Amino acid sequence: MKLINITLDAYNILVGIILFVAISMRHIVKAKVKNGFKAMVLVNCCMAAMNALTLIVEGSTNPICVRILPVSLFLFYAFSFSVLVIAGIEMMFYLNLGKYRKPFLVIVLIVILFYAGLIIANTQLGFMYYINENNCYFRGKWFYSAQIVRVFLFINFFIYLIINAKSVNKEHILFITAFILFPQTMQLLQIAFSGVLLLNTGYTISFLIMFIHSNRHLEENLDSIEYELDAKETELNNKITEIEQSKLEFIKMQNHTIESLSNLVENRDEDTGEHVRRTREYVELLAVQLMKNNHYPDILTPRYVRFLKRAAPMHDIGKIIVPDAILKKPGRLTPEEFTLMKCHASEGGRIVHEIFDGYEDPEYIKITADIAMYHHEKWDGSGYPSKLKGNAIPLSARIMALADVFDALVSPRVYKSPMSYEEAFTLIEENSGIHFDPVIAQEFLNIKEKAAAINESYRRVD
């Protein structure tokens, strides 16, 4: 019989360790419930270990065994009561019932203190159990007092459940029944057959049922959550698609507005509004060429080029302040008229900020304002409005300056006839390092056929 009981204890310890690890690996569990479950499984393992130790040392008069037996028995009784208390409180947290909660805990505390007094007093009086001179365990006259205390705890738990009966979910009935039925059934069998030790096994079976039930409940919740998440994901994807579509429509409308506004300004000065579209294409072509040959890598990125292309049509937005008499004058401007004309650069930067601040990407606003304000600056510092020199001129403005001049040279104006492509390219080459950034000028000359093709395509359209 001793071997059977030790084997049962080993089984309970093994199953307890497996349960403890399995519970620890579960993440989607309330912390209080998880910690309580782990505690009662661990205490049950300790109780089984103390029971096995008691069986091993009992009957031996070896001095070490004589000292171990009373300690192992004391701990066994302490653990057998503790696991019940922890399990009851665990059930309370799991069911989360509100009524009778504080009285339940107060009674549990009183019972704990009473039971602790019993097992401490027993070490001197031996009324629950005692050890004879042969180091053998025997039940005392008040042996059943421990069982009565356990029954009292169960009564307290039943009262808690009855008071909260309307709030108890039907699916928890099996859970509660397993918790109450198996330990108590095994306790009765253990009392009836003193040689069989089944209390640990009753708790182990109870914990297994509780774990399986909670896992099934968790899986059902996870399935429900997964279904809801799928639905939410679909809804979110649809919203993202709508937002992206709206964003594309907004950008398209915004670009159209920018181009229309730019054309409105240009049409006061140019024969057609195609200057805006042509310069935009020259700017993109030149920026891509510079990026391809690794010039200005810290500045030129695909994002920068994209913003640069969008910003190019706004380069002469400041001309909105210049009177028609000056813009459309067929002859050379007087010094006073030219001074007024030059104001369009600084005014262009101001107008850009008035239009876009708070509504556009700050990087785009800076590129657009730089183009509008500084595209008439020259590499040697002789330009306007700030007489910036060399790399002090923003890169966007340097690229725009070349595109703007090239288109002005090869296009007809009220005050001049168009220049041939070769004449324009020669003039750009001669002004490399004077008017234009030499790197930009050289790269433009490297793609002069593509630039001429862009200009020709718009002439065919016209």
Side-chain angles (χ1 to χ4, degrees):
M1 185 64 70
K2 180 182 287 191
L3 182 60
I4 294 173
N5 286 329
I6 292 174
T7 303
L8 279 174
D9 288 329
Y11 162 78
N12 291 325
I13 293 170
L14 178 62
V15 173
I17 292 171
I18 294 170
L19 272 175
F20 187 87
V21 173
I23 295 163
S24 299
M25 292 175 67
R26 295 172 70 197
H27 300 293
I28 312 176
V29 181
K30 290 181 181 178
K32 288 182 179 179
V33 175
K34 183 176 180 177
N35 292 334
F37 207 162
K38 286 165 65 177
M40 64 185 183
V41 169
L42 187 60
V43 170
N44 192 51
C45 286
C46 293
M47 182 169 64
M50 291 302 101
N51 190 56
L53 186 59
T54 298
L55 291 170
I56 292 169
V57 301
E58 186 184 13
S60 173
T61 55
N62 183 292
I64 296 175
C65 294
V66 170
R67 291 186 179 184
I68 290 175
L69 184 60
V71 175
S72 62
L73 278 170
F74 178 85
L75 291 174
F76 172 79
Y77 274 85
F79 287 139
S80 66
F81 180 74
S82 299
V83 72
L84 180 60
V85 172
I86 295 170
I89 295 173
E90 165 76 355
M91 289 287 291
M92 183 188 71
F93 282 126
Y94 181 77
L95 297 174
N96 197 27
L97 304 174
K99 296 179 182 178
Y100 192 65
R101 196 181 184 96
K102 287 185 179 179
F104 173 83
L105 292 172
V106 170
I107 290 172
V108 168
L109 180 60
I110 293 170
V111 172
I112 289 172
L113 294 174
F114 179 74
Y115 187 82
L118 277 179
I119 60 173
I120 291 171
N122 183 78
T123 59
Q124 300 298 321
L125 302 175
F127 52 80
M128 290 174 60
Y129 64 88
Y130 64 92
I131 301 169
N132 68 5
E133 64 278 3
N134 295 320
N135 200 38
C136 291
Y137 161 83
F138 288 94
R139 295 176 179 178
K141 292 181 179 179
W142 289 12
F143 172 76
Y144 295 106
S145 59
Q147 280 66 41
I148 292 170
V149 172
R150 291 193 186 95
V151 170
F152 190 78
L153 271 180
F154 274 107
I155 291 172
N156 183 40
F157 185 65
F158 266 119
I159 292 171
Y160 175 66
L161 289 176
I162 291 168
I163 290 174
N164 290 279
K166 292 181 180 179
S167 302
V168 178
N169 195 317
K170 290 182 180 180
E171 69 179 18
H172 292 148
I173 293 175
L174 175 64
F175 181 79
I176 296 166
T177 303
F179 167 66
I180 296 172
L181 181 62
F182 283 98
Q184 290 312 297
T185 301
M186 296 300 181
Q187 179 74 39
L188 291 172
L189 289 172
Q190 186 168 311
I191 292 171
F193 305 98
S194 59
V196 183
L197 303 175
L198 297 173
L199 182 59
N200 277 109
T201 306
Y203 280 122
T204 300
I205 294 171
S206 176
F207 296 157
L208 278 171
I209 293 172
M210 291 163 68
F211 182 75
I212 292 168
H213 170 77
S214 61
N215 261 348
R216 182 182 63 80
H217 185 63
L218 179 62
E219 286 173 5
E220 289 174 356
N221 285 342
L222 286 175
D223 288 341
S224 175
I225 291 169
E226 186 176 0
Y227 176 79
E228 290 178 9
L229 285 175
D230 286 342
K232 290 291 184 183
E233 185 180 8
T234 302
E235 183 181 348
L236 181 61
N237 287 336
N238 290 337
K239 288 290 184 184
I240 290 173
T241 302
E242 289 178 15
I243 291 170
E244 289 294 333
Q245 187 62 36
S246 298
K247 185 178 177 181
L248 289 173
E249 290 295 327
F250 175 76
I251 291 173
K252 184 178 178 181
M253 180 182 69
Q254 192 177 45
N255 289 341
H256 180 72
T257 302
I258 291 171
E259 186 175 310
S260 298
L261 182 61
S262 302
N263 279 333
L264 181 66
V265 174
E266 292 295 337
N267 281 332
R268 297 174 60 225
D269 182 31
E270 312 292 344
D271 291 337
T272 72
E274 296 303 327
H275 171 72
V276 168
R277 296 187 182 90
R278 289 194 299 266
T279 51
R280 180 179 60 192
E281 292 202 37
Y282 301 144
V283 162
E284 182 185 23
L285 179 69
L286 183 50
V288 170
Q289 176 70 10
L290 289 165
M291 187 168 60
K292 184 173 69 175
N293 290 323
N294 203 34
H295 295 299
Y296 308 109
D298 294 338
I299 302 175
L300 281 174
T301 64
R303 174 185 169 88
Y304 186 93
V305 173
R306 187 170 66 252
F307 282 157
L308 184 62
K309 181 182 177 182
R310 286 185 61 209
M314 298 288 286
H315 67 281
D316 272 338
I317 189 66
K319 285 184 178 179
I320 200 168
I321 68 153
V322 180
D324 282 350
I326 295 175
L327 280 177
K328 296 184 177 182
K329 185 176 180 179
R332 182 179 292 274
L333 298 178
T334 65
E336 294 78 12
E337 291 171 335
F338 187 60
T339 298
L340 185 57
M341 171 67 83
K342 287 194 293 185
C343 289
H344 84 274
S346 54
E347 283 297 306
R350 180 186 63 79
I351 292 169
V352 165
H353 282 290
E354 283 188 1
I355 295 173
F356 294 123
D357 277 355
Y359 297 96
E360 266 288 0
D361 188 291
E363 185 181 359
Y364 170 74
I365 294 173
K366 184 177 186 323
I367 291 171
T368 307
D370 284 346
I371 283 177
M373 184 173 288
Y374 301 121
H375 71 285
H376 285 294
E377 299 286 358
K378 296 182 180 180
W379 185 257
D380 64 0
S382 63
Y384 65 87
S386 302
K387 295 191 177 298
L388 298 181
K389 185 176 182 180
N391 289 324
I393 306 167
L395 178 61
S396 56
R398 281 180 269 154
I399 294 172
M400 187 72 239
L402 198 148
D404 188 40
V405 169
F406 172 73
D407 195 70
L409 292 174
V410 298
S411 301
R413 294 289 186 267
V414 293
Y415 53 84
K416 74 170 190 69
S417 299
M419 188 180 287
S420 71
Y421 295 131
E422 285 307 316
E423 289 175 319
F425 293 137
T426 299
L427 191 59
I428 289 170
E429 187 175 8
E430 290 171 354
N431 280 274
S432 176
I434 301 171
H435 188 152
F436 308 116
D437 178 336
V439 173
I440 294 175
Q442 185 56 55
E443 289 299 340
F444 185 78
L445 293 172
N446 290 341
I447 53 170
K448 60 184 180 181
E449 292 83 4
K450 293 180 180 179
I454 289 172
N455 190 270
E456 283 296 320
S457 68
Y458 280 92
R459 289 187 181 183
R460 286 195 293 271
V461 171
D462 290 344

